[in-house]
Amino acid sequence: MRVTSLELVSDSEVFLSTNLKAPGTNDRFHPKAIYGLDPDELIAKFYGFGGDNIAYYRIGMKTREIVMRLVLRPNWELGETYSDLRDDLYRAISRNRGSKVQVLLKAGPTIVAEAMGYIRRFEVPLFNKDPELQITIECDDPFFRSYTGIEFLTADFDATGYISLPDQISTAPHGFEAQFTVLNALSSFTIQDDSVPNWAFTFTNTAGAGFIAGDILYLNSVTGQLEVRVTRSAVDTGLLDNLDTDSIWPLIFPGDNQFYIPSVDDADVQIDYIRFDSAFWGV
């Protein structure tokens, strides 16, 4: 992922912008060092038992921590001081109603990826020869995500039940959101990886009651947002307790991905949409 600049956004306002290649003479914050944009320690995380009763693992990461050491460069002609720059940052952070800070990675004018986090530390060593500050941002989601998501709608799929979800942008595996409409009575719903059929994900309704025409099924396999639910007569019911014991949460991997949904092949279910954000290990 090619990146030339980084911006911090608080409450929809860019409060810090720094060029990673060649800071301009008018840039108020010059990056002395930025840590945490690369992949950190990789961890093998248990993923589940497939239909063959083999334990599957996927590669994950620890919580991402981004540390920025910035040299302050006030515009003296406008009467700015080092204290003014620090105070501007304090105010931008403090007036954020949601507390979260958005980290935007840009290539030229284009935003290519983002991360969300909290400012955990704001350090100002006052007696350096070159006044500088250090900001530490902790991101619960270790991956950078694409700023613009990818969406496939009903018209993008045929009736065979075989689904192609290419992702030539990502460098890391990731989940997706999907919604389905039940057209005919259905005892359970299954989506499986066509390349590895033992990687199947199956769930039923509460107490195995099955689904009826008009039910809306929702699936979210994004790490940290895992959810399965059915909407019937405008009432939502969570179904995480109704997963088959050998279910493997479906993931999209970099490159070509093929899934198979038997109930779509049988004309019992319609795919409303499948959406995902590309994911990146780091810069």
Side-chain angles (χ1 to χ4, degrees), residues 4-280:
T4 59
S5 63
L6 181 151
E7 292 181 350
L8 298 185
V9 179
S10 173
D11 205 22
S12 300
E13 175 189 352
V14 177
F15 68 91
L16 191 152
S17 179
T18 183
N19 193 309
L20 302 180
K21 295 185 66 178
T25 56
N26 294 326
D27 289 351
R28 303 162 77 202
F29 305 98
H30 287 210
K32 187 172 184 178
I34 299 180
Y35 307 97
L37 299 183
D38 55 336
D40 201 341
E41 179 183 352
L42 302 182
I43 305 170
K45 295 184 176 181
F46 176 68
Y47 190 50
F49 290 101
D52 48 13
N53 205 34
I54 295 176
Y56 289 95
Y57 294 83
R58 61 173 171 166
I59 301 299
M61 290 170 54
K62 298 189 302 181
T63 298
R64 182 180 295 275
E65 187 175 89
I66 300 173
V67 180
M68 304 174 62
R69 291 185 61 190
L70 303 168
V71 178
L72 305 181
R73 290 289 184 263
N75 189 328
W76 300 108
E77 294 181 359
L78 297 179
E80 282 185 336
T81 65
Y82 297 121
S83 294
D84 292 333
L85 296 189
R86 290 193 294 265
D87 287 347
D88 285 348
L89 291 180
Y90 290 144
R91 292 188 191 96
I93 295 167
S94 298
R95 64 172 170 257
N96 184 355
R97 268 61 172 177
S99 301
K100 284 190 175 183
V101 171
Q102 187 179 25
V103 182
L104 299 182
L105 302 179
K106 303 177 71 175
T110 304
I111 301 173
V112 294
E114 66 175 338
M116 299 293 292
Y118 299 90
I119 291 184
R120 190 162 59 85
R121 246 183 227 147
F122 196 114
E123 301 166 88
V124 184
L126 295 177
F127 302 105
N128 280 12
K129 178 181 178 182
D130 293 322
E132 60 183 56
L133 57 85
Q134 181 165 297
I135 297 176
T136 301
I137 303 169
E138 187 172 299
C139 305
D140 292 332
D141 184 350
F143 296 115
F144 289 109
R145 305 284 176 174
S146 59
Y147 189 69
T148 303
I150 298 173
E151 181 177 67
F152 296 89
L153 301 176
T154 303
D156 297 315
F157 304 105
D158 58 30
T160 64
Y162 290 91
I163 302 171
S164 177
L165 296 176
D167 184 359
Q168 308 300 335
I169 301 175
S170 290
T171 58
H174 56 84
F176 59 86
E177 292 181 81
Q179 179 178 292
F180 310 90
T181 296
V182 178
L183 304 177
N184 298 297
L186 193 67
S187 59
S188 63
F189 178 89
T190 297
I191 179 172
Q192 63 191 60
D193 189 310
D194 188 49
S195 300
V196 188
N198 286 322
W199 286 32
F201 183 82
T202 301
F203 60 91
T204 62
N205 205 346
T206 304
F211 305 104
I212 62 175
D215 282 352
I216 304 296
L217 308 181
Y218 174 79
L219 163 66
N220 189 338
S221 64
V222 178
T223 301
Q225 304 176 29
L226 302 180
E227 183 181 6
V228 181
R229 69 172 184 262
V230 58
T231 302
R232 179 181 295 178
S233 301
V235 177
D236 292 337
T237 303
L239 300 177
L240 282 177
D241 292 337
N242 294 278
L243 303 182
D244 276 14
T245 55
D246 59 354
S247 284
I248 300 280
W249 286 90
L251 287 181
I252 294 176
F253 293 84
D256 295 325
N257 297 269
Q258 300 289 332
F259 295 94
Y260 176 62
I261 303 178
S263 54
V264 172
D265 197 3
D266 296 335
D268 291 330
V269 166
Q270 169 188 285
I271 304 171
D272 298 329
Y273 64 77
I274 296 179
R275 302 172 182 152
F276 63 83
D277 295 323
S278 297
F280 308 93

